[in-house]
Amino acid sequence: MMTKIDVLSLLQNHSLFRNISCTEFSALQADISKIELGKGMMLCRKGDLAEGIYIVVFGLIKLCIPSPRGHDKVLELIRAGQSLGEAMMFIDEPYPFYAEALEHTLLLKLPRATVLQLLERSPLLSRQMMTGLSHRLLGFIHNVEAYSLQNSTQRVIDYLLRTASQQDSKEIRLELKKHLLASLLNLTPETLSRVLHQLTQESLIKVCGATIHIASIEALRSYHEASAELHSACH
């Protein structure tokens, strides 16, 4: 269980609430609840009404659009320190996705009414939330740009380099099963497997189940640049 000071510390370091007053913190903290999810448990389903903002303390949440054929589209991964639910809370619309825990996850829930009251009283908090939403939108635009302009090899290498940076290691742990990773990168599972095999044959990576060892970050980045130049020349 987290103590009261743990919750306070987390909120003070979160980008949304970094500079709000002690009075505002007290009002916020009084209404916070904790949600603990086991692996595979749902935080919300498509069509549920947004009840507030959720901040991930630890664990991992995937946001997906369900498909009647079973090939759900992975939109985004929400990691420790990140939040979800802001956009739907403002427009009072149901979630267009479902949110599922990929591992044991603890979240803080900030009720909609409490957050809206704070926003009315705090222009600074309003600006910080707008900044967060803008960064989120920019991230989605970058993803669309990658899907539109990058080939499959570039997308996979981009993911490997980002994950290596996030995990601060050349020995990276895949956060998703390969068919879900393919969905996140807007690839078919067969294409993802082909690219991983290609990178393995080039001695750039070694795949061991859910772990990928990158032989050299610099060599992988150079291969990415060469792939981008070739893709550009072909178009």
Side-chain angles (χ1 to χ4, degrees):
M1 292 292 291
M2 292 182 62
T3 63
K4 186 175 182 179
I5 190 64
D6 289 327
V7 173
L8 182 62
S9 176
L10 179 80
L11 290 177
Q12 286 174 330
N13 287 299
H14 194 278
S15 59
L16 286 177
F17 309 107
R18 194 166 289 147
N19 298 308
I20 68 174
S21 70
C22 294
T23 302
E24 290 165 337
F25 259 126
S26 297
L28 189 64
Q29 197 174 356
D31 292 329
I32 287 175
S33 58
K34 302 170 189 175
I35 298 176
E36 195 164 357
L37 300 174
K39 180 179 178 180
M41 292 179 64
M42 292 285 186
L43 175 65
C44 65
R45 299 181 184 276
K46 181 179 179 180
D48 288 351
L49 290 177
E51 297 180 346
I53 297 175
Y54 299 91
I55 297 175
V56 177
V57 179
F58 63 74
L60 187 65
I61 296 284
K62 71 171 180 180
L63 306 185
C64 285
I65 295 177
S67 166
R69 300 179 186 177
H71 303 298
D72 296 356
K73 169 60 183 170
V74 181
L75 295 174
E76 191 178 7
L77 298 180
I78 309 297
R79 301 175 177 85
Q82 296 181 316
S83 57
L84 65 124
E86 300 96 320
M88 297 302 101
M89 181 191 71
F90 281 118
I91 59 178
D92 199 21
E93 287 285 328
Y95 291 114
F97 51 73
Y98 68 82
E100 179 185 344
L102 291 175
E103 57 192 45
H104 181 208
T105 300
L106 179 66
L107 307 101
L108 300 181
K109 178 183 176 182
L110 287 63
R112 179 176 183 270
T114 302
V115 175
L116 292 179
Q117 287 171 9
L118 278 177
L119 290 174
E120 289 177 1
R121 296 199 299 264
S122 173
L124 177 60
L125 180 58
S126 298
R127 286 197 300 272
Q128 289 176 178
M129 189 161 291
M130 287 175 65
T131 299
L133 288 171
S134 298
H135 281 303
R136 198 74 159 272
L137 176 60
L138 191 60
F140 277 114
I141 291 172
H142 285 161
N143 287 341
V144 172
E145 179 183 31
Y147 301 155
S148 303
L149 302 179
Q150 291 186 339
N151 61 31
S152 54
T153 302
Q154 291 172 274
R155 290 182 221 170
V156 174
I157 294 176
D158 262 351
Y159 171 81
L160 294 176
L161 292 174
R162 284 199 314 271
T163 306
S165 176
Q166 289 164 354
Q167 298 183 9
D168 194 23
S169 174
K170 293 194 297 183
E171 195 93 12
I172 64 175
R173 175 183 63 86
L174 294 181
E175 298 167 311
L176 295 167
K177 292 182 180 178
K178 289 191 176 72
H179 72 284
L180 293 174
L181 175 57
S183 175
L184 180 66
L185 300 178
N186 213 35
L187 301 171
T188 65
E190 295 76 17
T191 299
L192 174 61
S193 295
R194 176 180 57 77
V195 173
L196 292 175
H197 180 69
Q198 171 190 337
L199 297 177
T200 299
Q201 287 200 316
E202 295 285 347
S203 299
L204 292 166
I205 66 170
K206 185 181 294 183
V207 182
C208 301
T211 301
I212 294 181
H213 175 75
I214 300 174
S216 166
I217 295 291
E218 293 74 20
L220 190 60
R221 190 173 285 118
S222 296
Y223 191 86
H224 178 279
E225 291 169 359
S227 176
E229 290 174 5
L230 179 61
H231 183 67
S232 178
C234 292
H235 291 76

